[in-house]
Amino acid sequence: NTGVKARISLSSGFKAPTLFQLYHPLYGNRDLSPERSVSREIGFEKSTDDHTGKIEFTYFQLQLSDLFSYDPTTFRTVNIGKATTEGVELGGAYAVGPFSARASYTFTETKDESTHSLILRRPRHKVSGSLSAQLGKRLRSALGVRYSGTRHDIDFTSFTSRPVVLESYVLTDLSASLLLMPRIELRARVHNLFDKSYQDVYSYGTSRRAIYAGVTASL
């Protein structure tokens, strides 16, 4: 009757090394073990009285063993023992008429238990938001924005590797779908609408502005 839902979960998993990580003649490591993880999560959700909106809170903790990392002296993937990731996520959604909006914020702390340092390429702050609209019976559009905070990485482009900090970035995506007839839908999406230059891995390129279009037919 209060409109509050509580949830709790416990799960385990593993991630196998790739063929490149195992068998590359220069950078492969045949002694790699699979990553293993134990995940714990507890969360709460509160809906509005008219069920047009809701807010969510989640605390999560992920414990990793044999985590994959990089050895800057050999450029090979290695297991680094244990690591911990934990944080909170706040989110909300609201719908009114043909419009619906959603936003979330995630704060994450990471720690390599072997070196007591941060895990590479994990942003501490992430924010996302979206706004969608049903424009008539046939047309639907959506605008999405994602923010990723600064991340720690290693520059392997020179002979002597060095720590670097990847800059934060904001990406905007725009999409639309048009129902041409009852079973055929035209879809289009613009990725990285403002042609933002960014990096998720130091010195690795990412997609600039890109346009995708297609047709979906259901039988």
Side-chain angles (χ1 to χ4, degrees):
N1 294 333
T2 63
V4 177
K5 295 180 181 179
R7 61 181 182 275
I8 185 170
S9 66
L10 174 66
S11 60
S12 62
F14 79 96
K15 179 181 179 181
T18 65
L19 294 177
F20 177 91
Q21 291 171 328
L22 287 170
Y23 301 116
H24 190 280
L26 295 178
Y27 309 119
N29 179 4
R30 299 192 181 194
D31 295 327
L32 272 179
S33 300
E35 277 188 0
R36 299 190 180 277
S37 65
V38 176
S39 175
R40 302 172 181 87
E41 182 177 300
I42 183 171
F44 300 91
E45 177 185 312
K46 175 67 170 72
S47 299
T48 58
D49 293 337
D50 58 1
H51 298 286
T52 58
K54 64 179 180 180
I55 56 174
E56 300 170 312
F57 169 84
T58 303
Y59 166 80
F60 58 88
Q61 183 190 67
L62 180 66
Q63 292 181 316
L64 300 161
S65 58
D66 293 323
L67 180 68
F68 295 155
S69 188
Y70 293 94
D71 186 339
T73 60
T74 64
F75 301 101
R76 293 180 177 180
T77 303
V78 294
N79 296 114
I80 62 170
K82 296 182 179 181
T84 302
T85 297
E86 65 178 337
V88 295
E89 183 174 75
L90 302 173
Y94 187 74
V96 54
F99 301 97
S100 60
R102 183 170 182 85
S104 68
Y105 164 74
T106 305
F107 173 80
T108 307
E109 282 281 11
T110 66
K111 183 179 180 181
D112 179 348
E113 300 290 353
S114 302
T115 62
H116 302 287
S117 59
L118 297 175
I119 302 176
L120 297 180
R121 301 168 187 160
R122 269 69 164 186
R124 180 170 289 180
H125 304 282
K126 293 177 68 176
V127 181
S128 65
S130 63
L131 176 65
S132 59
Q134 184 69 46
L135 306 175
K137 295 181 179 180
R138 295 175 177 266
L139 179 62
R140 183 174 182 82
S141 63
L143 177 70
V145 179
R146 292 176 290 136
Y147 165 83
S148 180
T150 57
R151 288 136 291 133
H152 291 265
D153 205 347
I154 296 178
D155 177 8
F156 293 106
T157 59
S158 58
F159 181 76
T160 303
S161 60
R162 62 184 181 90
V164 295
V165 176
L166 300 176
E167 294 182 359
S168 60
Y169 62 83
V170 177
L171 292 183
T172 304
D173 297 334
L174 181 65
S175 63
S177 61
L178 176 64
L179 189 64
L180 299 178
M181 54 186 65
R183 297 183 181 273
I184 299 180
E185 186 178 46
L186 176 65
R187 296 185 176 186
R189 178 169 63 93
V190 181
H191 168 70
N192 196 359
L193 179 64
F194 299 108
D195 201 24
K196 176 69 176 179
S197 177
Y198 67 101
Q199 290 184 336
D200 282 322
V201 180
Y202 185 79
S203 79
Y204 278 68
T206 51
S207 174
R208 302 295 293 265
R209 184 188 297 118
I211 301 175
Y212 303 88
V215 175
T216 300
S218 56
L219 302 178

